[in-house]
Amino acid sequence: MKTTNKPVQVPQLNTQRLTIRAFQSDDLANFAAYRADPIIAQYQSWNDYTEEDALRFYSNMDYQMFGVAGLWFQLALIEKDSQQLIGDIALHFVDEQQVEVGFTLARTAQKKGYATEAMKSVIDYLFSVLKKHRITATTDAENSASMTLLMRLGFRKEGHFIQNIFFKGKWGDECAFALLNKEHLSYEFA
């Protein structure tokens, strides 16, 4: 199935406990705070994260181009009860049929099922609404929590790359995961 490489409207997805939407300026203080946490940054591309970094991130996010191949976008995870940002999901529209995903949660929001809830909604949107063929994710091979989440969501581990990335002063391993639309249609989430 061929799709066009045109922008689409940024979704607002609602789950039982979350609203998943475009970032807003009032999200940035919480965004900078959890990204500055060294535990959160351990497997991420940054070490320190400041409010200036958050503002630069927000200023560079062009949601008018959402869905265009080659571009990255972040969606905010808002806890409905508190109306606070608790994490984000990254979407890289690799090409017209494939999307790479990533996710980051504040430490206080971890181990409560938020990531699973958010990712189920985003996966369903990518496959059912945008009709994407394949979703991929790459994790640090030491990030067992992320790998467990991906496998719980039905992703298949496709590769373990040995010392393929020089990351934070040392060589590290990465694992590649993927899920096809046809697998999603037949997969019952655990």
Side-chain angles (χ1 to χ4, degrees):
M1 175 184 298
K2 180 101 167 114
T3 62
T4 60
N5 191 22
K6 294 181 183 176
V8 296
Q9 174 132 5
V10 178
Q12 178 166 313
L13 308 173
N14 288 292
T15 69
Q16 182 179 352
R17 299 178 297 162
L18 300 169
T19 299
I20 304 164
R21 59 158 171 77
F23 267 82
Q24 298 173 358
S25 59
D26 58 355
D27 298 327
L28 299 182
N30 281 354
F31 182 67
Y34 71 74
R35 283 190 165 214
D37 181 337
I39 299 297
I40 301 305
Q42 180 179 5
Y43 300 118
Q44 302 286 0
S45 61
W46 63 86
N47 288 315
D48 300 315
Y49 209 87
T50 65
E51 287 195 33
E52 292 79 23
D53 293 325
L55 183 58
R56 189 170 31 260
F57 151 85
Y58 180 69
S59 298
N60 290 331
M61 188 70 50
D62 185 0
Y63 287 114
Q64 297 296 320
M65 299 298 289
F66 187 82
V68 172
L71 300 180
W72 280 93
F73 297 91
Q74 305 289 130
L75 295 176
L77 304 181
I78 306 299
E79 185 182 45
K80 286 182 177 177
D81 287 345
S82 68
Q83 288 298 299
Q84 295 295 309
L85 176 78
I86 61 164
D88 59 272
I89 292 182
L91 299 175
H92 174 214
F93 292 89
V94 176
D95 57 32
E96 292 182 17
Q97 292 294 317
Q98 299 182 91
V99 179
E100 179 182 3
V101 296
F103 39 86
T104 306
L105 252 64
R107 196 177 342 175
T108 57
Q110 293 181 1
K111 298 184 180 179
K112 297 179 181 178
Y114 287 122
T116 301
E117 188 174 324
M119 286 299 296
K120 282 180 181 179
S121 183
V122 169
I123 289 166
D124 191 54
Y125 165 77
L126 292 171
F127 283 147
S128 300
V129 177
L130 294 188
K131 307 294 187 202
K132 297 301 181 184
H133 172 68
R134 177 179 160 95
I135 300 173
T136 63
T138 302
T139 67
D140 187 294
E142 295 179 3
N143 191 345
S144 60
S146 288
M147 290 189 287
T148 299
L149 171 63
L150 290 166
M151 289 185 285
R152 183 183 315 121
L153 293 168
F155 280 74
R156 163 186 63 266
K157 185 176 178 182
E158 294 191 328
H160 184 133
F161 304 103
I162 308 297
Q163 294 188 5
N164 69 313
I165 185 168
F166 194 75
F167 184 71
K168 297 190 177 184
K170 64 179 184 165
W171 284 101
D173 295 5
E174 289 181 315
C175 294
F177 291 83
L179 179 65
L180 298 175
N181 191 323
K182 69 181 181 180
E183 294 167 327
H184 169 256
L185 293 174
S186 65
Y187 182 77
E188 191 67 37
F189 287 120

